[in-house]
């Protein structure tokens, strides 16, 4: 591949990280799914923040008291229309009993710090991330000398490799390992033990670092320096390197250990490494490149050579360049494969690139955010990473059963929206979290979708269906059958909205003043999807489930129809006491369109239009980074590519910083995003961006594939390689001006599916044993495993 083409997969920055304090927010990220590094700083001082997926602290887990009696109290208050009192009943009862579970926070492992001399004012500064390899480089000129610092996190050797080179054999550098410096609050106030137990030992060419976590175990790292020429000395808390021709630094980390034993073990492992930087990179790159290129996308023929800053400057004018859209799709995939792994922890809101000791919203949130981060994986060819999501929740099933029993007196499971490893009991003790029971059902969709795309019947039988049955058990006990024979679900929350008629009249800025309602649309939508999948999956692998299937079918029949308000929009709450409020970021009530697939334009056009109206009425000033990509995916499902693209344009204007990390919201008061002075990093929008682009290019259900269902007018040509449908892969290219289309469908399993081709060109498709024409651009295909079908315009 030519160098110009390689530039398609590079982020180029002309400025160093420059956010006031907490510069890790604009760092360049590298990682192997277990260890993450964030590179930031300037020419003179560079910091490599190091993190590990399993390093957490500050959590507290209390025993959940038995307060099941509050459910009857809450419902009584709601029937008396005392909604505010009902809303706080469960939360206040837990507080009165002294319940104080606290979610854990990620703990930065440490920092590698490099200090170098500067003789002249720098020239030609550039920092670059190569997404194809996971390598970060920083380049500049200092007078007649050119310097480069490079780093990657190895997938094969499980280490951090860092190299400094120069055109002149006179590199001067000080090297240090230490606790990462917090710029939020004083570390001594947040976690005094970390500072008290921090230890650094300098014994060139090795450097030893450790501290102690609150569980009594040590964590830390060992560093080895390998020099070409020059001199190495022991300095005060650093290794001093002078007149070096080349410097290679290798770092291995440990956690949940004992420092002296782990130091010795890691030193021996580092001592046995006899290859150079390029050899280490080569063997790492083979694995990384395969993952990164499991699918590919090109929306323009030419590679855009501009830096991130230049691309953002154009985006600020109101329309992001197509190369930015394309690069963000690739970058989201890069972050995903670098920030999680199949047998590790699921991807988090900060990935593996966090620099605070008590992160704002650093937990795993299941009222949209963690789901959003996995929406793209199946179609994008990264399904192998999703088992980490399932394992995370499966490990806390006993907590979830206790929650259901003690909070609500129900069988099955109740998953709190927010969790951290090992803490699956209620923690955010407020009504908007405590009274929402839909997290488990929403997560169940990911279990079932994994089966659909993998075809793994053993997974369906042993993992997906057992999880889904526990969710259904909760609903069986929790639902109330009304006098009309239909279910009522209450308390019920539409995350994280409050009905308009229950908002404070004085305009007091409360986050969630009264979210507790009856019959939130999203709750019924999740329930309908769950029961439908349970019935379908049980028929495939469980011959003894006939009685349960009949029962679930009866439950489905008792779910009331969706309702339309006086504006022609789908009601967010299916009860007359709650009036729709459009001034909010969440779009949970659109679930039947996306992420669900219950309703389509073809099946129910009138209802479909009501959902469309509801989306259009959402106010732009109430949105966030993640809600804009959610809205983009919804518009794509509705066939409106231009509106879907507009959402990404707004996100690029408001919630994107120089390293292309997405933020929760804008902080500058520009009026196109939720107004808040805090703007935490939240990478859910980075990953949601992947899905939004994929939804514009391809709609996938178990029975239908639509190619280019929501193509923006601006994307006149492009190429997609190896996107997935449930039983195979699709590659295609198009040119709307030339009216040209070419596609290739490859069956990876036995395939029977309807394919709807774009309407901007004509096709010469003849009937054959594998094709049945439905209309001029619609065909039903039947392929055996391994067969390939070519589709081409005339």
């Amino acid at each position: 591949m030519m160098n110009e083409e390689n530039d398609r997969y590079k982020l180029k920055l002309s400025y160093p990280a420059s956010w006031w304090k907490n510069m890790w927010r604009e760092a360049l990220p590298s990682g192997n799914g277990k260890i993450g590094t964030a590179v930031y700083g300037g020419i003179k001082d560079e910091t490599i923040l190091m993190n590990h997926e399993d390093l957490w602290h500050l959590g507290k887990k209390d025993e959940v008291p038995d307060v099941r009696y509050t459910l009857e109290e809450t419902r009584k208050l709601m029937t008396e229309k005392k909604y505010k009192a009902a809303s706080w009943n469960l939360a206040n009862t837990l507080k009165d009993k002294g319940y104080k579970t606290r979610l854990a926070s990620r703990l930065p492992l440490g920092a590698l710090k490099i200090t170098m001399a500067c003789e002249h004012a720098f020239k030609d500064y550039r920092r670059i991330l190569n997404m194809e390899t996971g390598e970060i480089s920083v380049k500049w000129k200092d007078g007649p000398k050119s310097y480069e610092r490079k780093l990657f996190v190895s997938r094969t050797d499980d280490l951090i490799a860092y190299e400094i080179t120069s055109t002149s054999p006179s590199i001067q550098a000080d090297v240090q390992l230490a606790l990462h410096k917090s710029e939020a609050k004083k570390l001594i106030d947040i976690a005094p033990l970390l500072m008290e137990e921090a230890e650094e030992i300098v014994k060139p060419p090795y450097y030893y670092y450790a501290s102690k976590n609150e569980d009594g175990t040590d964590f830390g790292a060992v560093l080895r320096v390998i020099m070409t020429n020059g001199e190495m000395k022991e300095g005060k808390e650093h290794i001093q390197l002078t007149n070096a021709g080349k410097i290679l630094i290798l770092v291995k980390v440990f956690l949940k250990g004992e420092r002296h034993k782990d130091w010795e073990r890691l030193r021996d492992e580092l001592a046995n490494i006899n290859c150079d930087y390029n050899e280490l990179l080569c063997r790492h790159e083979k694995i990384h490149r395969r993952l990164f290129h499991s699918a590919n996308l090109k929306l323009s023929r030419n590679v855009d050579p501009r830096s991130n800053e230049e691309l953002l400057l154009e985006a600020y004018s109101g329309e992001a360049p197509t190369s930015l859209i394309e690069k963000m799709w690739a970058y989201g995939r890069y972050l995903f494969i670098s920030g999680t792994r199949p047998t590790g922890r699921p991807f988090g809101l900060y990935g593996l690139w966090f620099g605070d000791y008590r992160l704002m919203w650093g937990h795993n949130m299941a009222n949209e955010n963690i789901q959003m981060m996995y929406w793209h994986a199946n179609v994008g060819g990264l399904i192998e990473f999703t088992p980490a999501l399932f394992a995370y929740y499966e490990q806390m099933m006993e907590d979830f059963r206790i929650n259901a029993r003690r909070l609500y007196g129900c069988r099955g499971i109740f998953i709190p929206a927010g969790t951290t490893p090992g803490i699956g009991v209620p923690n955010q003790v407020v009504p908007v979290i405590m009274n929402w029971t839909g997290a488990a059902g929403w997560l169940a969709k990911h279990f079932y979708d994994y089966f659909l795309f993998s075809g793994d019947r053993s997974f369906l039988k042993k993992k997906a269906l057992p999880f889904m049955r526990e969710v259904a058990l909760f609903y069986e006990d929790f639902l109330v059958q009304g006098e009309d024979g239909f279910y009522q679900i209450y308390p019920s929350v539409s995350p994280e909205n409050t009905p308009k008629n229950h908002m404070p009249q004085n305009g007091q800025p409360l986050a969630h003043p009264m979210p507790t309602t009856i019959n939130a649309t999203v709750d019924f939508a999740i329930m309908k999807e769950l029961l439908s999948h349970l019935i379908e999956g049980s028929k495939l692998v469980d011959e003894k489930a006939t009685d349960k299937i009949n029962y679930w079918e009866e439950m489905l029949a008792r779910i009331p129809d969706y309702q339309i308000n006086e504006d022609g929009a789908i009601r967010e709450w299916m009860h007359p006491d709650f009036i729709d409020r459009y001034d909010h970021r969440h779009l949970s009530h659109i679930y039947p369109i996306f992420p669900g697939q219950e309703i389509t334009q073809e099946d129910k056009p009138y209802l479909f239009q009501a959902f469309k109206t509801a989306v259009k009425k959402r106010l732009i000033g109430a949105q966030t980074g993640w809600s804009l990509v959610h809205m983009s995916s919804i518009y794509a499902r509705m066939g409106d590519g231009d509106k879907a693209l507009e959402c990404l344009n707004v996100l690029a204007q408001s919630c994107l910083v120089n390293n292309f990390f997405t933020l929760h919201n804008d902080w500058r008061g520009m009026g196109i995003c939720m107004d808040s002075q805090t703007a935490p990093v939240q990478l859910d929008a980075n990953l949601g961006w992947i899905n939004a682009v994929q939804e514009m290019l391809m709609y996938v259900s178990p029975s239908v594939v639509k190619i280019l269902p929501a193509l923006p007018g601006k994307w006149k040509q492009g190429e997609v390689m190896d996107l997935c449908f449930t039983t195979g892969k699709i590659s295609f290219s198009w040119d709307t001006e030339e009216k040209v289309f070419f596609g290739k469908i490859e069956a990876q399993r036995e395939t029977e599916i309807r394919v709807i081709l774009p309407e901007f060109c004509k096709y010469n498709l003849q009937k054959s044993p594998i094709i049945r024409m439905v209309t001029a651009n619609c065909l039903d295909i039947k392929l055996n495993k391994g067969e390939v079908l070519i589709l081409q315009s005339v």
Side-chain angles (χ1 to χ4, degrees):
M1 190 177 291
M2 296 176 62
N3 185 60
E4 179 184 329
E5 188 63 19
N6 285 343
D7 283 349
R8 188 183 295 271
Y9 305 112
K10 290 179 180 177
L11 301 187
K12 301 178 181 179
L13 293 99
S14 301
Y15 289 86
S18 53
W19 195 282
W20 175 244
K21 295 189 175 182
N22 292 311
M23 286 194 291
W24 58 268
R25 294 163 59 103
E26 290 185 348
L28 287 180
S30 183
N32 64 4
K34 178 168 65 173
I35 300 167
T37 59
V39 181
Y40 66 93
I43 290 168
K44 181 177 179 292
D45 295 298
E46 183 164 81
T47 297
I48 295 91
L49 170 63
M50 303 181 298
N51 291 315
H52 192 285
E53 63 177 354
D54 270 327
L55 198 51
W56 298 72
H57 71 153
L58 303 180
K60 180 179 182 292
K61 186 177 180 179
D62 276 1
E63 182 177 351
V64 179
D66 193 336
V67 293
R68 69 187 72 189
Y69 59 86
T70 62
L71 179 59
E72 185 176 347
E73 295 173 351
T74 298
R75 286 175 170 165
K76 183 175 185 295
L77 288 167
M78 295 182 82
T79 58
E80 295 170 354
K81 301 187 183 299
K82 298 175 182 177
Y83 291 116
K84 189 171 183 179
S87 188
W88 279 98
N89 188 42
L90 173 58
N92 283 342
T93 302
L94 287 172
K95 290 178 180 181
D96 290 344
K97 289 184 175 292
Y99 180 75
K100 293 182 179 179
T101 286
R102 181 178 63 240
L103 289 171
S105 184
R106 291 181 179 273
L107 169 57
L109 188 144
L112 167 62
K113 298 186 177 183
I114 308 296
T115 301
M116 294 178 65
C118 299
E119 299 178 39
H120 305 86
F122 68 87
K123 293 182 179 179
D124 299 334
Y125 174 84
R126 184 63 62 97
R127 55 186 180 130
I128 299 169
L129 168 62
N130 186 339
M131 294 183 277
E132 286 189 296
T133 65
E135 186 182 33
I136 296 164
S137 67
V138 179
K139 301 178 181 181
W140 73 97
K141 289 182 180 178
D142 186 329
K145 303 174 186 177
S146 295
Y147 288 92
E148 183 175 16
R149 296 190 292 238
K150 299 184 293 185
L151 173 143
F152 70 96
V153 184
S154 174
R155 294 180 182 275
T156 50
D157 295 277
D158 203 28
L159 56 74
I160 300 162
Y162 181 83
E163 184 178 67
I164 307 174
T165 59
S166 173
T167 54
S168 175
S170 58
I171 302 172
Q172 320 289 328
D174 291 344
V175 180
Q176 181 188 19
L177 279 176
L179 280 169
H180 173 66
K181 183 181 178 181
S182 170
E183 295 185 277
K185 294 181 179 179
K186 289 183 179 180
L187 184 54
I188 192 68
D189 297 331
I190 300 171
L193 183 66
L194 293 176
M195 295 194 69
E196 293 166 5
E197 294 291 334
E199 184 178 6
E200 303 162 25
I201 298 177
V202 184
K203 289 187 177 180
Y206 296 98
Y207 195 121
Y208 305 89
Y209 151 75
S211 188
K212 191 178 294 292
N213 204 355
E214 60 195 14
D215 64 358
T217 65
D218 288 339
F219 65 89
V222 178
L223 172 156
R224 177 191 174 194
V225 178
I226 303 168
M227 288 177 61
T228 302
N229 302 320
E231 187 177 3
M232 185 183 309
K233 292 182 180 180
E234 177 182 334
K236 184 180 180 181
E237 298 182 343
H238 67 269
I239 297 176
Q240 185 181 68
L241 309 172
T242 57
N243 297 320
K246 183 187 294 185
I247 300 170
L248 173 61
I249 298 172
L250 304 177
V251 183
K252 282 190 169 249
V253 308
F254 72 93
L255 69 158
K256 300 184 187 299
E258 184 179 335
R259 65 186 66 185
H260 294 287
K261 290 182 180 178
D262 285 294
W263 281 347
E264 183 177 357
R265 173 178 60 84
L266 295 182
R267 182 200 63 204
D268 291 344
E269 291 178 12
L270 290 169
N272 288 326
I273 295 175
N274 298 311
C275 47
D276 64 15
Y277 179 92
N278 289 331
E279 290 174 298
L280 290 167
L281 178 62
C282 184
R283 59 197 193 199
H284 151 82
E285 183 183 333
K286 289 178 181 178
I287 300 173
H288 181 93
R289 191 180 290 269
R290 175 189 65 82
L291 295 169
F292 181 70
H293 284 304
S294 60
N296 284 286
L297 165 67
K298 295 179 183 178
L299 295 175
S300 56
R301 292 192 179 97
N302 299 321
V303 176
D304 192 333
R306 289 181 291 175
S307 67
N308 284 23
E309 293 92 349
E310 291 171 303
L311 294 172
L312 283 171
L313 188 60
E314 182 176 332
Y316 292 152
S317 69
E319 190 170 305
T322 300
S323 56
L324 172 60
I325 303 293
E326 178 187 289
K327 194 156 286 192
M328 283 291 291
W329 178 84
Y331 187 46
R333 289 170 55 83
Y334 168 80
L335 292 173
F336 187 67
I337 66 174
S338 302
T340 185
R341 58 196 180 105
T343 57
R345 295 294 184 190
F347 195 91
L349 281 169
Y350 291 81
L352 292 174
W353 309 287
F354 42 88
D356 282 344
Y357 288 84
R358 182 45 111 173
L359 290 166
M360 183 176 183
W361 304 331
H363 52 276
N364 296 311
M365 194 67 174
N367 69 358
E368 163 139 6
N369 310 84
I370 199 167
Q371 292 94 332
M372 174 178 286
M373 293 188 287
Y374 282 83
W375 284 341
H376 67 93
N378 294 332
V379 171
L382 294 173
I383 189 173
E384 65 190 270
F385 284 83
T386 53
L389 178 68
F390 308 141
Y392 172 75
Y393 285 102
E394 288 169 339
Q395 290 164 5
M396 295 185 283
M397 287 295 282
E398 191 53 39
D399 278 356
F400 303 152
R401 294 186 186 104
I402 289 171
N403 296 341
R405 187 167 62 251
R406 295 184 183 177
L407 296 176
Y408 291 113
C410 297
R411 297 169 296 164
I413 58 175
F414 167 69
I415 299 181
T419 58
T420 51
I423 303 179
V425 295
N427 39 77
Q428 301 155 293
V429 185
V430 289
V432 72
I433 300 299
M434 294 302 306
N435 297 334
W436 185 59
T437 58
W442 195 334
L443 289 164
K445 172 178 172 54
H446 289 261
F447 279 79
Y448 197 70
D449 283 351
Y450 180 85
F451 156 68
L452 291 174
F453 278 82
S454 68
D456 187 342
R457 291 198 172 209
S458 176
F459 174 86
L460 175 64
K461 188 172 185 177
K462 296 178 181 179
K463 287 186 177 289
L465 287 177
F467 181 87
M468 294 160 67
R469 288 188 194 111
E470 296 238 31
V471 183
L473 273 177
F474 179 86
Y475 285 132
E476 288 176 28
D477 293 349
F478 187 75
L479 294 168
V480 176
Q481 191 169 338
E483 294 180 359
D484 58 1
F486 289 105
Y487 284 133
Q488 288 186 318
I489 182 167
Y490 67 110
S492 179
V493 171
S494 187
E496 297 170 3
N497 203 358
T498 287
K500 184 177 180 180
N501 56 319
H502 288 274
M503 289 294 292
Q505 296 302 307
N506 59 5
Q508 186 180 358
L510 298 175
H512 317 292
M514 211 302 290
T516 308
T517 67
I518 300 171
N519 293 0
T521 296
V522 63
D523 279 336
F524 279 134
I526 288 171
M527 194 190 316
K528 288 174 76 173
E529 179 184 71
L530 171 79
L531 294 171
S532 298
H533 286 166
L534 257 177
I535 292 165
E536 182 181 87
S538 297
K539 287 179 178 177
L540 288 173
V541 296
D542 191 351
E543 296 176 354
K544 299 179 180 179
T546 303
D547 290 343
K548 290 302 297 183
I549 288 171
N550 291 337
Y551 185 72
W552 294 326
E553 287 175 339
E554 291 174 5
M555 288 181 69
L556 268 176
R558 295 193 190 107
I559 295 175
D561 293 334
Y562 302 123
Q563 298 176 9
I564 301 174
N565 68 19
E566 61 277 7
D567 295 327
I570 283 293
R571 287 180 59 90
E572 192 161 350
W573 300 277
M574 296 159 55
H575 189 280
D577 285 358
F578 308 100
I579 298 174
D580 285 312
R581 174 174 170 245
Y582 305 128
D583 188 14
H584 202 262
R585 61 200 175 277
H586 273 268
L587 294 142
S588 306
H589 59 308
I590 314 299
Y591 195 103
I593 303 290
F594 177 85
Q597 296 179 308
E598 178 190 348
I599 293 170
T600 65
Q601 172 77 52
E602 295 82 1
D603 293 338
K604 298 178 180 178
Y606 179 70
L607 202 55
F608 189 87
Q609 181 58 46
F611 279 97
K612 205 169 188 176
T613 300
V615 178
K616 289 182 177 180
K617 285 191 170 293
R618 266 319 198 243
L619 300 182
I620 193 69
Q623 302 313 305
T624 60
W626 56 260
S627 76
L628 285 164
V629 293
H630 189 167
M631 188 179 289
S632 179
S633 291
I634 291 171
Y635 274 123
R637 283 282 174 93
M638 293 177 169
D640 194 337
D642 289 332
K643 290 293 289 185
L645 182 57
E646 181 184 331
C647 293
L648 300 187
N649 289 338
V650 173
L651 193 160
Q653 285 180 283
S654 58
C655 300
L656 205 55
V657 287
N658 284 3
N659 63 347
F660 286 173
F661 275 3
T662 53
L663 306 181
H664 176 269
N665 56 272
D666 198 353
W667 68 102
R668 298 165 298 192
M670 297 300 287
I672 56 171
C673 192
M674 177 181 171
D675 186 17
S676 175
Q677 291 183 349
T678 57
V681 169
Q682 285 199 319
L683 303 184
D684 47 3
N686 278 104
L687 274 58
W689 187 297
I690 314 171
N691 185 74
V693 171
Q694 289 174 183
E695 292 281 354
M696 291 182 235
L697 298 174
M698 196 166 82
Y699 168 82
V700 177
S701 78
S703 58
V704 176
V705 171
K706 298 179 184 178
I707 299 177
L708 302 180
L711 185 67
K714 191 176 179 182
W715 297 357
K716 298 186 183 301
Q717 66 272 320
E719 182 180 359
V720 166
M721 289 151 280
D722 293 329
L723 290 186
C724 299
F725 61 101
T726 52
T727 56
K729 288 186 176 182
I730 297 181
S731 299
F732 54 89
S733 59
W734 73 93
D735 188 317
T736 57
E737 293 180 323
E738 298 294 330
K739 300 188 185 306
V740 171
F741 176 87
F742 177 86
K744 182 177 76 171
I745 299 177
E746 179 183 350
Q748 296 178 307
R749 303 197 306 275
E750 296 297 309
T751 293
E752 287 190 49
I753 200 160
R754 173 162 290 183
V755 177
I756 301 174
L757 299 170
E759 296 181 350
F760 60 77
C761 55
K762 296 180 180 180
Y763 307 90
N764 184 17
L765 301 171
Q766 303 296 326
K767 287 185 178 180
S768 74
I770 62 174
I771 299 177
R772 184 181 72 84
M773 298 302 302
V774 180
T775 65
N777 70 317
C778 178
L779 55 147
D780 292 336
I781 66 171
K782 186 175 182 179
L783 300 174
N784 295 319
K785 180 180 178 181
E787 284 190 320
V788 174
L789 175 64
I790 302 297
L791 302 168
Q792 194 166 1
S793 59
V794 294

